[in-house]
Amino acid sequence: MAGRIKETSIQEVREKARLDDIISQQVTLRRAGPGTYKGLCPFHDEKTPSFNVNPSRGFYKCFGCGEGGDVIDFVMKLEGLSFFEAVERLGDKIGVQIQREEGDEAPVKRGPSRGKLVEAHKVAAEFYAEQLLTPDAVVARQFLAEKGFDRDAALHFGVGFSPRGGEDLYRHLRARGFSDEEVVTGGLVAHGRSHYDRFRGRLMWPIRESGGDVIGFGARRLFDDDRIEAKYLNTSETPLYKKSHVLYGIDLARKEMARTREAVIVEGYTDVMACHLAGITTAVATCGTAFGDDHAKVLRRFISDDQQLRGAVVFTFDGDAAGQTAALKAFKGDGNFTSQTYVAVEPDGLDPNDLRIKKGDEAVRELLANRVPLYEFVLRNIASKYDLDRADGRVDALREAAPLVASVRDESKKMGFTRDLARFLGVDPDEAAREVRRAAGRPAPQAAPSRREAAQTAQAGSAEAPAAPRRPPMPHPREPRFTVERETLKLFVQHPVALGRTTGEITPEAFTHPIYRALWEIIAGLGGPGAGTGDANWAQKLGAAASDPLVSRILAELAVEPIPSAKEPDAAYVLQYVVRLLELLDQRRIAEVKSRLQRSDGAADPEAYNRLFAQLAALEQHRRGLRNLVAE
């Protein structure tokens, strides 16, 4: 009776299984010194590589989590195998015939061995590929042709066809010596009243792990009378197949990922095929599930995604609502990568496969070349729901976007996203930063209600007692963002002076705090600052015109606060504050125009784009003219 594996076989496996070859199927290794390599550890999540491999000595060691050992230890830990199972697994990989001791008790089995399950999947993949050439598979071949794939493409990706009979694969596997337990455990065959093929009458894609072994299948519906209505079926969870870790195409993409430090994530099997045939050979896809944290960990190991050597991760999404939802989910997982994340969306909503069919390989390459940062795509989608030409629209957009930015774990990225968010929406950077800090304590909101929904909500609440109008808070005397507004108004109250056209350019928009704005409107209503020149009762007149108690309170404060000047303020002193007030107004207007330019499409509407550009130039010129007034 066969028993334990002979020591000679174990030693032969250790000698012939090159540690760097086995590990590099799971991790991209880079030279770290004479005879040593380094990469991201496959056993724990890390940002800086601490996983070291010394092929000449045959040992690995992670200085982050402490894992280490030889090639057998690596396979045991990675695949959750016993010592003897790991030896058998390696023997299958490198072609070593495993020999056992005679007369010794065989180790207790825990179900089918991994080697047998992998072999069964290999045989099944070959069977499906052969069936694609049969007369019964004409519909499958037509489908491939319509998708732009010829016979060579099918061979390259191992595409096949599952016969409609129901037991064809089962009988084939049994004839090849596989047991019922093995084919059922592997997910190739199901068992009810009898055994039957898991996949029937479908186009088949073999799903391989990074080393090239087939571990599952994806199956596309072809016939209208298929009892299973789902368009795509995937292998269920098995000892081999874990959908949260599986990426279709990783076996073909991993080497190019290591070379270019780039990964492209698409949404389906045909999209992976289209990208690879178009020259984008770093494309992979999830299999029947959304891209998640475990998928990110797999990719990071291959693109060497660490803090020193950063690459690029590109997502492709449809332009519809589902694609936007997927982008939002990907953005929330952005912290999984230290590499830059991007999104590529075709303007007409075509996926890579349809794009290749209609416009050719070059269009697919151009799609990926025209990628935009993922965060920009997400924030643009949020902004598109609001009228950013209105102050309330910008505030609402900021409130929806801020929790997403706040959820970013990398503080450097968060700061950069906040600055870009302010520029994109046309709001003050300090205001955006405050909103992001406030949002850090509350969950990200769902999609904002439409105007109709908001109106319905308002109408439903109109039957209740109306809420009291919300009063603006009193501005703090030393709040930096309002300093220029407060000091300018203080001068207008205590030292009114006529400054010609300069004061004539001041509008309520120059004051961002509503109470300061209200006080300015009172001053302007009485004729402007020049009307108070030489009038000893000027402050009293302003007070008499103020009906709001909060404005009256501010007026009283400004009338007695000291002026931060060693000498009596004159017209030149007042002019400095007025110019600074107008400069800040120009800065806000410039930011708003830049935001609109960033959101506009110069190719689609060149007239509007040029009009905005001219407006921007005029504002810049006006700001320079204000500076010259002070310099004169």
Side-chain angles (χ1 to χ4, degrees):
M1 177 174 62
R4 291 182 301 178
I5 298 175
K6 288 184 176 182
E7 281 297 325
T8 53
S9 290
I10 295 173
Q11 188 59 32
E12 186 179 4
V13 165
R14 281 199 173 105
E15 291 174 354
K16 292 186 176 180
R18 285 185 54 86
L19 181 65
D20 51 337
D21 286 345
I22 298 300
I23 291 179
S24 63
Q25 292 177 12
Q26 307 295 332
V27 179
T28 293
L29 297 175
R30 298 187 184 279
R31 189 174 293 278
T36 61
Y37 297 85
K38 184 178 284 190
L40 291 174
C41 180
F43 304 126
H44 81 289
D45 195 22
E46 61 179 359
K47 300 295 184 183
T48 302
S50 57
F51 184 79
N52 292 261
V53 179
N54 190 314
S56 62
R57 294 184 178 180
F59 281 92
Y60 70 91
K61 175 70 177 179
C62 177
F63 293 96
C65 67
E67 289 292 340
D70 63 9
V71 67
I72 298 176
D73 295 315
F74 180 81
V75 175
M76 288 173 61
K77 174 68 176 178
L78 186 73
E79 300 185 6
L81 304 177
S82 69
F83 177 84
F84 293 107
E85 287 173 332
V87 172
E88 288 180 327
R89 175 89 170 102
L90 284 167
D92 290 340
K93 272 185 172 292
I94 62 177
V96 171
Q97 186 69 36
I98 301 298
Q99 297 181 358
R100 298 180 180 276
E101 300 285 355
E102 292 294 332
D104 208 345
E105 282 193 17
V108 178
K109 283 200 168 188
R110 299 178 299 175
S113 70
R114 179 185 173 92
K116 292 293 289 184
L117 296 180
V118 169
E119 181 64 23
H121 278 76
K122 177 183 177 182
V123 172
E126 293 170 348
F127 173 78
Y128 288 143
E130 291 170 357
Q131 294 301 308
L132 185 63
L133 305 178
T134 65
D136 291 340
V138 62
V139 176
R141 294 193 296 272
Q142 288 174 348
F143 177 89
L144 288 172
E146 290 169 0
K147 292 293 184 179
F149 304 123
D150 56 18
R151 183 175 179 180
D152 288 340
L155 287 172
H156 181 68
F157 293 96
V159 182
F161 174 72
S162 56
R164 306 184 72 186
E167 297 180 1
D168 300 72
L169 176 65
Y170 172 64
R171 289 195 296 267
H172 181 75
L173 291 172
R174 289 290 289 158
R176 292 289 295 268
F178 295 99
S179 68
D180 287 349
E181 183 185 15
E182 289 165 347
V183 298
V184 172
T185 301
L188 298 168
V189 171
H191 179 63
R193 293 181 179 177
S194 61
H195 290 86
Y196 58 91
D197 294 349
R198 174 75 173 82
F199 304 105
R200 302 178 298 280
R202 290 189 170 234
L203 190 65
M204 305 296 295
W205 282 270
I207 300 170
R208 297 182 172 91
E209 62 180 5
S210 57
D213 288 335
V214 179
I215 57 174
F217 291 92
R220 210 274 187 193
R221 190 174 192 262
L222 294 172
F223 300 98
D224 293 337
D225 60 353
D226 191 331
R227 293 181 180 180
I228 302 176
E229 294 186 0
K231 182 182 288 187
Y232 283 94
L233 287 178
N234 293 93
T235 295
S236 301
E237 295 280 308
T238 72
L240 294 180
Y241 185 89
K242 308 296 181 186
K243 65 180 180 181
S244 63
H245 295 75
V246 171
L247 288 167
Y248 176 70
I250 191 68
D251 57 309
L252 299 173
R254 67 180 182 88
K255 289 185 179 179
E256 191 65 8
M257 283 181 181
R259 188 185 71 82
T260 63
R261 304 185 52 76
E262 177 178 285
V264 176
I265 297 95
V266 297
E267 294 193 330
Y269 305 120
T270 58
D271 291 333
V272 171
M273 295 174 69
C275 285
H276 279 253
L277 294 176
I280 310 298
T281 54
T282 57
V284 294
T286 59
C287 303
T289 185
F291 188 87
D293 294 349
D294 289 330
H295 295 118
K297 291 176 183 177
V298 172
L299 283 185
R300 290 190 64 240
R301 298 202 303 267
F302 288 114
I303 63 174
S304 299
D305 177 44
D306 59 64
Q307 293 176 331
Q308 284 76 37
L309 301 170
R310 300 186 180 184
V313 178
V314 187
F315 295 90
T316 64
F317 300 115
D318 292 338
D320 57 12
Q324 293 180 22
T325 300
L328 186 63
K329 178 177 174 61
F331 179 78
K332 290 178 179 178
D334 183 74
N336 289 322
F337 298 103
T338 60
S339 293
Q340 298 298 316
T341 51
Y342 299 88
V343 62
V345 176
E346 207 280 326
D348 296 330
L350 300 175
D351 58 36
N353 184 217
D354 290 337
L355 181 62
R356 179 173 179 262
I357 293 170
K358 294 187 177 182
K359 300 182 181 180
D361 291 347
E362 181 60 34
V364 178
R365 293 191 290 270
E366 186 176 346
L367 169 67
L368 275 300
N370 291 335
R371 63 200 184 196
V372 297
L374 174 60
Y375 77 90
E376 180 181 319
F377 175 78
V378 171
L379 297 181
R380 278 183 182 273
N381 283 336
I382 292 175
S384 66
K385 297 186 286 187
Y386 300 93
D387 183 357
L388 298 185
D389 293 333
R390 292 169 52 95
D392 59 341
R394 293 192 292 272
V395 170
D396 290 342
L398 177 60
R399 286 175 178 168
E400 183 175 346
L404 290 174
V405 176
S407 69
V408 175
R409 287 172 285 182
D410 187 317
E411 286 300 320
S412 297
K413 284 187 176 182
K414 184 185 296 184
M415 291 169 58
F417 292 168
T418 301
R419 288 191 297 269
D420 286 349
L421 175 63
R423 184 174 67 252
F424 185 68
L425 298 182
V427 299
D428 183 85
D430 291 337
E431 181 183 356
R434 282 191 298 273
E435 188 62 34
V436 169
R437 285 195 295 270
R438 280 196 291 268
R442 65 179 188 266
Q446 301 300 315
S450 65
R451 295 186 183 277
R452 177 180 295 178
E453 292 170 335
Q456 290 172 345
T457 302
Q459 186 176 1
S462 63
E464 303 173 3
R470 189 177 177 185
R471 302 301 303 277
M474 288 289 289
H476 192 280
R478 291 186 295 278
E479 192 163 359
R481 59 184 175 135
F482 298 130
T483 298
V484 175
E485 295 177 28
R486 189 179 185 93
E487 292 300 321
T488 304
L489 288 171
K490 189 192 301 182
L491 290 168
F492 287 166
V493 173
Q494 296 185 30
H495 300 278
V497 61
L499 296 175
R501 72 172 182 86
T502 308
T503 48
E505 291 183 11
I506 299 176
T507 65
E509 186 187 0
F511 299 91
T512 58
H513 196 286
I515 296 178
Y516 289 156
R517 188 181 306 121
L519 178 54
W520 164 254
E521 289 175 340
I522 292 173
I523 295 172
L526 293 178
T533 304
D535 187 344
N537 298 318
W538 174 243
Q540 288 80 3
K541 290 181 180 178
L542 294 175
S547 58
D548 188 328
L550 292 183
V551 177
S552 297
R553 179 178 163 184
I554 283 292
L555 179 60
E557 292 178 1
L558 298 183
V560 298
E561 277 185 15
I563 303 293
S565 174
K567 61 178 183 178
E568 185 75 6
D570 55 11
Y573 183 89
V574 177
L575 179 63
Q576 289 181 342
Y577 276 95
V578 171
V579 166
R580 183 58 183 150
L581 182 74
L582 293 174
E583 275 190 307
L584 290 173
L585 174 59
D586 277 349
Q587 286 179 11
R588 292 194 295 274
R589 287 172 170 170
I590 287 169
E592 182 178 341
V593 173
K594 284 183 176 179
S595 174
R596 294 172 66 184
L597 273 171
Q598 193 173 6
R599 301 192 305 271
S600 64
D601 188 342
D605 191 353
E607 184 177 343
Y609 186 88
N610 291 334
R611 188 164 55 247
L612 285 171
F613 199 83
Q615 187 179 349
L616 178 63
L619 286 168
E620 292 282 9
Q621 183 177 2
H622 182 265
R623 185 169 61 170
R624 288 193 295 270
L626 288 172
R627 292 173 181 171
N628 292 335
L629 284 176
V630 179
E632 290 175 354

